[in-house]
Amino acid sequence: DAKTTQPTSMDCAEGRAANLPCNHSTISGNEYVYWYRQIHSQGPQYIIHGLKNNETNEMASLIITEDRKSSTLILPHATLRDTAVYYCIVRVGGAAGNKLTFGGGTRVLVKP
Amino acid sequence: GAVVSQHPSWVICKSGTSVKIECRSLDFQATTMFWYRQFPKQSLMLMATSNEGSKATYEQGVEKDKFLINHASLTLSTLTVTSAHPEDSSFYICSARGSLNGEAFFGQGTRLTVV
């Protein structure tokens, strides 16, 4: 699976949008971009994934650049409960995709 | 999303004893389950991948005789830490993936403390 690069940490203000960048310059054509988050002392939680089109669900939006070498996860209105480590992972999607390999992630602190 | 349940959520055991951790997929059949270990302030490290009815595939550096994995049914996998030592103290997390889609869902984790 392709490697991803994320900032180590970032702060954001409660109620504002949080934009989390991820670089994946070696991504292959059949690899999806997945985002998970891990709140302290819990298991990771799936957020969203996409291939090349932008995606939105009730939790977040995922913006993937046209060349697919980078993406941004957007939390539209950050709350204190969004404080977590956010992981950007690329892997082959569907049942053909195998293990999820976690990098360092971005530690996001939402401040009042 | 789908529900994956781990039990126990925390356990304290004496050095030299064995501990079993269960991972269940509650509302889907998990053809593949993954076991991770996470030390404080570090990311998740994959230990092994198991497919129902077959032997687990261990990542490099993980002792298969120490970390016994059983995936006997489509809803249950177990990880047994044998002859536990203080250095095995960690947060163990399982993940399950069903056959209908490729998404992986995680359990809440088990904090193991070996004293």
Side-chain angles (χ1 to χ4, degrees):
Chain A
D1 294 330
K3 182 179 176 180
T4 63
T5 303
Q6 299 176 251
T8 304
S9 64
M10 63 183 295
D11 295 346
C12 62
E14 185 181 20
R16 304 292 293 272
N19 297 301
L20 282 60
C22 179
N23 286 323
H24 31 80
S25 59
T26 60
I27 192 170
S28 301
N30 63 345
E31 287 183 313
Y32 288 69
V33 179
Y34 284 79
W35 283 84
Y36 284 79
R37 73 179 183 183
Q38 185 180 25
I39 296 171
H40 183 63
S41 293
Q42 297 182 23
Q45 176 189 23
Y46 165 80
I47 300 174
I48 199 168
H49 77 283
L51 183 62
K52 46 186 172 183
N53 296 324
N54 298 336
E55 302 289 338
T56 295
N57 62 20
E58 64 278 5
M59 290 183 67
S61 294
L62 174 60
I63 308 298
I64 302 173
T65 58
E66 193 169 342
D67 63 8
R68 302 210 320 125
K69 292 185 177 182
S70 65
S71 61
T72 301
L73 179 75
I74 301 173
L75 307 178
H77 304 285
T79 70
L80 299 181
R81 285 178 293 181
D82 292 322
T83 292
V85 179
Y86 288 76
Y87 296 98
C88 169
I89 301 167
V90 294
R91 60 172 274 253
V92 175
N98 202 357
K99 52 195 177 183
L100 282 172
T101 301
F102 287 79
T106 297
R107 190 172 297 273
V108 173
L109 176 61
V110 180
K111 296 183 174 180
Chain B
V3 179
V4 175
S5 177
Q6 252 182 272
H7 179 81
S9 55
W10 62 270
V11 58
I12 301 173
C13 72
K14 290 185 177 181
S15 186
T17 62
S18 295
V19 174
K20 180 184 285 188
I21 302 170
E22 292 187 347
C23 179
R24 294 181 184 273
S25 55
L26 298 185
D27 53 0
F28 69 102
Q29 293 184 323
T31 54
T32 305
M33 286 190 172
F34 307 89
W35 285 96
Y36 293 83
R37 179 168 54 181
Q38 186 176 32
F39 292 108
K41 299 190 184 302
Q42 295 185 22
S43 187
L44 285 78
M45 296 295 295
L46 181 66
M47 299 175 67
T49 302
S50 74
N51 293 296
E52 184 264 338
S54 61
K55 289 184 178 180
T57 301
Y58 290 81
E59 295 297 303
Q60 192 171 9
V62 178
E63 299 175 57
K64 62 180 181 181
D65 294 330
K66 180 171 182 62
F67 299 99
L68 303 179
I69 293 172
N70 183 282
H71 190 169
S73 78
L74 284 171
T75 59
L76 174 65
S77 176
T78 60
L79 167 68
T80 301
V81 182
T82 63
S83 186
H85 291 285
E87 56 266 30
D88 298 322
S89 297
S90 186
F91 193 51
Y92 292 86
I93 306 168
C94 74
S95 173
R97 191 179 70 212
S99 57
L100 294 181
N101 61 60
E103 307 324 316
F105 298 94
F106 289 80
Q108 69 270 39
T110 297
R111 186 160 302 283
L112 169 64
T113 302
V114 184
V115 297

